[in-house]
Amino acid sequence: MVGGGKEDKSIHCAISGLKYSNTPLGEKDGRITPRVEKLSIILDKANLKPVISNQILVWLITHYAVAAGLSAGIMSAGSASKFIENTAIIKTTMKAIREGLAICERMGINPKTEKANRLYLLPLFISVPIAKKIYSNDALQLMFDGHINHSPAEIRQMIDDIIDSGVKYAVITSNLAQLKSYISSNQTNKSK
């Protein structure tokens, strides 16, 4: 629900106003503990729509895979606004996200149990137009641009983590590798 980045000593963030945005909370072992309940109350007072999950690891691990693929797509497009205009990159991004989710499955994490992953599992002719609509939200675009502009090294590490995990779990990550090559070629062109 919240995203952005740090610049010098300032933190720039955006809060998504999307109807289905929320802030997942939970303990690794799935228990609902007093500290999770207390944090939920605090976040609720801040209108950050907390949702307590008994499977937070599923959310975290699949979110990492989704974030790596999505960030790779946005970085390869150059910005969030350029991303939503580029159907080819969105398609490649959706496929890259699916590669990451396939790795999760090989790890024993079922991405289908997390509602947030449903979009990425739909056929492309359905998921691409929906993604364009969702990602055209101004707050989301600010978040995405904050991520790619302030955390490019972290994003590159996430991409490499997913590609390396693909090797480990025998999942081909050709779409994510393609996005990684776009990012590398864009940076080479910018530095000339």
Side-chain angles (χ1 to χ4, degrees):
M1 177 148 184
V2 178
K6 181 180 174 210
E7 186 175 19
D8 296 321
K9 295 183 180 184
S10 299
I11 295 174
H12 303 276
C13 69
I15 299 173
S16 168
L18 290 175
K19 181 179 178 181
Y20 298 107
S21 292
N22 59 49
T23 306
L25 301 172
E27 296 285 2
K28 183 178 177 180
D29 63 6
R31 292 181 305 126
I32 312 285
T33 61
R35 76 180 187 149
V36 169
E37 289 174 335
K38 183 177 181 180
L39 186 55
S40 178
I41 291 166
I42 292 166
L43 292 175
D44 190 52
K45 286 179 182 176
N47 200 26
L48 293 176
K49 299 191 270 184
V51 173
I52 297 175
S53 171
N54 61 359
Q55 57 174 15
I56 197 67
L57 281 180
V58 172
W59 184 86
L60 285 169
I61 292 169
T62 61
H63 183 70
Y64 191 87
V66 169
L70 185 56
S71 297
I74 294 167
M75 278 182 83
S76 59
S79 71
S81 61
K82 290 178 184 174
F83 174 73
I84 62 166
E85 299 298 324
N86 192 322
T87 302
I89 287 180
I90 292 174
K91 284 181 181 177
T92 304
T93 300
M94 291 297 190
K95 293 176 192 173
I97 290 169
R98 290 175 186 179
E99 293 166 351
L101 294 177
I103 292 166
C104 294
E105 280 192 272
R106 291 276 173 93
M107 294 171 63
I109 305 280
N110 184 355
K112 293 175 184 170
T113 63
E114 178 54 51
K115 196 164 108 173
N117 296 327
R118 290 182 186 162
L119 169 65
Y120 309 111
L121 302 171
L122 294 170
L124 290 175
F125 74 91
I126 297 172
S127 64
V128 169
I130 293 171
K132 283 184 175 193
K133 183 171 174 53
I134 291 170
Y135 299 143
S136 67
N137 175 275
D138 291 339
L140 282 181
Q141 288 192 13
L142 282 171
M143 281 192 260
F144 295 147
D145 286 339
H147 291 317
I148 68 167
N149 292 323
H150 301 291
S151 304
E154 180 181 311
I155 292 168
R156 280 189 207 86
Q157 183 61 58
M158 292 170 67
I159 294 166
D160 287 341
D161 288 347
I162 299 298
I163 291 171
D164 292 346
S165 294
V167 171
K168 180 178 178 179
Y169 290 98
V171 174
I172 296 169
T173 55
S174 56
N175 291 287
L176 187 58
Q178 182 180 349
L179 292 172
K180 181 181 176 183
S181 71
Y182 289 163
I183 294 166
S184 298
S185 67
N186 286 349
Q187 289 171 336
T188 303
N189 292 334
K190 284 181 184 178
S191 62
K192 287 183 180 178

